[in-house]
């Protein structure tokens, strides 16, 4: 009888190398090999049991319609173009308002700087404040 | 008759849904066993099928759909491991879905077996899980593809992009490590 199988011989046998005939002659080595093969089969069964019942959670997405994205892009472009126009109109509105305010202030200044009320202005030219009649 | 673009897209989506239904369990199982984290496994499986869907139109059938999907899964796992190495703080998080203690691992034996046999089998299975978890990445991938997914060496080579001889060497070393761990469990 040959020598008993080494660890390497057992691994080779489990991998499918059946060239070593000692296994057929030696009950002890046969038990050793069978135990290793059984452990690997049980490991396989254990792994299958662990992963069993898992159902796919991936759904293949339907292709999305293209038009909402196009509409969104068009809206963004329109917004970008509208901003400078709005800024220009706003500047013009502010300039007009400032001109109107300036005109009003001038008018108020003119009113305030009068010595007598408007209806009495013709009399002012008739009266000399130092007592002499100008006419 | 020419197919409209919408009809072609709908046909592609329908074809792919059947691919998802057929292959999801295997891809999820392989990723779950590799990561031992249910949340991460679900998320990574989704990413895997999303990538596959994006590339579905270019899939020409040089490999089987299964091999192609498993190759994507292996690449996803590699990227995931790389990201986790970079984001080292993630390792410190508490995650109840991660089963690193291996106490809740199913024994993988018939319920009719005697309590002693079930206990011994559970101990063995736990030792294999622990050994697989501690293997280097490539060895673990090869080991799981062989002993969980039942792929032969050539199929593993196609999935991983490794040469057949390299696959054999990884598998041999992985088995040695698993045997060593099983011996420790009995001491």
């Amino acid at each position: 009888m040959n020598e008993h199988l080494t660890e390497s011989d057992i691994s080779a046998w489990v991998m499918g190398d059946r060239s070593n005939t000692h296994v057929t002659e030696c009950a002890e080595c046969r038990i050793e090999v069978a135990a290793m093969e059984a452990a690997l089969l049980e490991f396989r069964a254990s792994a299958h049991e662990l992963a069993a019942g898992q159902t796919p959670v991936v759904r293949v997405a339907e292709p999305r319609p293209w038009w909402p994205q196009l509409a969104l892009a068009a809206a963004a472009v329109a917004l970008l173009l509208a901003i400078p126009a709005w800024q220009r109109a706003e500047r013009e509105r502010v300039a007009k308002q400032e001109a109107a305010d300036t005109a009003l202030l001038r008018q108020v200044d003119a009113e305030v700087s009068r010595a007598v009320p408007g209806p009495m202005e013709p009399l002012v030219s008739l009266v000399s404040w130092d007592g002499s009649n100008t006419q | 008759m020419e197919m409209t673009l919408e009809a072609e897209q709908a046909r592609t989506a329908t074809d792919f849904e059947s691919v998802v239904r057929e292959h999801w369990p295997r891809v999820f199982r392989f990723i779950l066993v590799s990561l031992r984290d249910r949340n991460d496994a679900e998320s990574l499986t989704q990413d895997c099928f999303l990538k596959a869907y994006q590339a579905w139109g270019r899939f020409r059938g040089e490999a089987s759909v299964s091999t192609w999907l498993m190759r994507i899964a292996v690449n996803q796992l590699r990227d995931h491991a790389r990201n986790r190495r970079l984001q080292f703080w993630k390792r410190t998080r508490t995650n109840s879905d991660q089963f690193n203690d291996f106490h809740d691992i199913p024994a993988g034996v018939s319920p009719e077996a005697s309590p002693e046999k079930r206990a011994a089998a559970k101990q063995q299975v736990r030792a294999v899980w622990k050994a697989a978890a501690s293997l280097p990445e490539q060895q673990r991938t090869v080991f799981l593809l062989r002993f969980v997914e039942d792929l032969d060496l050539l199929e593993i080579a196609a999935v991983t992009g490794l040469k057949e001889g390299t696959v054999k060497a990884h598998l041999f070393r992985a088995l040695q490590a698993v045997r060593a761990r099983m011996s420790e469990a009995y001491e």
Side-chain angles (χ1 to χ4, degrees):
Chain A
M1 190 186 274
N2 302 330
E3 283 183 13
H4 286 307
L5 296 181
T6 63
E7 291 294 314
S8 300
D9 294 335
I10 293 172
S11 296
W13 182 275
V14 171
M15 280 172 66
D17 178 2
R18 302 290 192 257
S19 59
N20 194 328
T21 54
H22 175 75
V23 180
T24 55
E25 300 159 7
C26 176
E28 202 179 319
C29 288
R30 224 173 13 251
I31 289 169
E32 191 78 20
V33 166
M36 180 69 187
E37 286 177 333
L40 290 170
L41 281 175
E42 282 155 8
F43 170 65
R44 181 173 190 270
S46 159
H48 281 241
E49 196 179 327
L50 193 73
Q54 179 72 24
T55 49
V57 287
V58 162
R59 293 285 305 164
V60 177
E62 295 285 322
R64 283 195 290 182
W66 53 268
W67 60 266
Q69 288 170 340
L70 188 70
L72 207 64
V77 169
L79 197 66
L80 282 173
L81 292 176
I83 287 171
W86 175 80
Q87 283 175 331
R88 206 178 313 119
E90 188 63 11
R91 273 199 301 273
E92 282 171 11
R93 191 188 65 76
V94 169
K96 273 183 188 168
Q97 184 68 49
E98 281 175 352
D101 289 351
T102 309
L104 182 64
L105 276 173
R106 274 202 204 107
Q107 197 181 338
V108 169
D109 280 348
E111 291 287 339
V112 169
S113 62
R114 279 179 180 153
V116 293
M120 290 174 69
E121 270 185 355
L123 295 175
V124 173
S125 56
L126 299 175
V127 176
S128 164
W129 295 105
D130 57 3
S132 62
N133 195 338
T134 53
Q135 288 186 341
Chain B
M1 193 170 73
E2 272 189 27
M3 218 179 231
T4 63
L5 182 64
E6 286 81 8
E8 177 62 25
Q9 282 175 337
R11 189 193 64 79
T12 305
T14 311
D15 284 355
F16 194 75
E17 280 201 13
S18 66
V19 167
V20 172
R21 270 196 299 277
E22 191 182 339
H23 296 278
W24 180 280
R26 172 178 248 189
V27 172
F28 172 72
R29 182 174 58 231
F30 172 64
I31 294 176
L32 175 66
V33 177
S34 299
L35 294 179
R36 303 170 311 283
D37 183 312
R38 200 168 279 276
N39 286 339
D40 280 0
E42 277 177 8
S43 161
L44 218 62
T45 309
Q46 283 185 34
D47 290 350
C48 178
F49 278 93
L50 185 65
K51 281 208 162 177
Y53 180 65
Q54 285 163 349
W56 183 235
R58 299 191 299 278
F59 176 63
R60 294 282 170 263
E62 291 93 353
S64 70
V65 174
S66 175
T67 300
W68 179 65
L69 286 170
M70 292 303 271
R71 195 185 299 158
I72 295 173
V74 165
N75 289 337
Q76 289 283 104
L77 279 168
R78 197 176 299 152
D79 292 347
H80 180 79
R82 198 175 297 139
N83 290 341
R84 278 179 77 95
R85 275 196 292 272
L86 290 173
Q87 298 171 354
F88 64 94
W89 52 269
K90 269 195 167 183
R91 289 186 219 168
T92 61
R93 71 186 175 163
T94 315
N95 191 335
S96 58
D97 274 352
Q98 194 159 22
F99 36 92
N100 269 332
D101 55 3
F102 303 101
H103 283 301
D104 299 327
I105 294 293
V109 282
S110 159
E112 285 91 46
S114 68
E116 293 80 19
K117 199 174 176 187
R118 282 180 62 81
K122 191 156 189 169
Q123 195 181 2
Q124 274 197 335
V125 168
R126 205 177 292 164
V128 180
W129 275 98
K130 282 183 180 172
S134 61
L135 289 173
E137 192 186 320
Q138 281 195 328
Q139 279 183 34
R140 182 171 56 243
T141 297
V142 168
F143 177 79
L144 297 178
L145 287 172
R146 177 70 194 91
F147 292 109
V148 175
E149 298 309 326
D150 215 15
L151 302 189
D152 62 32
L153 296 182
L154 277 176
E155 287 171 319
I156 297 171
V159 165
T160 55
L162 298 170
K163 288 179 182 165
E164 194 188 350
T166 313
V167 170
K168 212 169 175 175
H170 280 314
L171 194 56
F172 185 79
R173 286 196 201 106
L175 275 171
Q176 296 282 81
V178 169
R179 273 196 65 74
R181 179 70 80 152
M182 284 173 68
S183 304
E184 279 170 27
Y186 280 109
E187 279 169 7

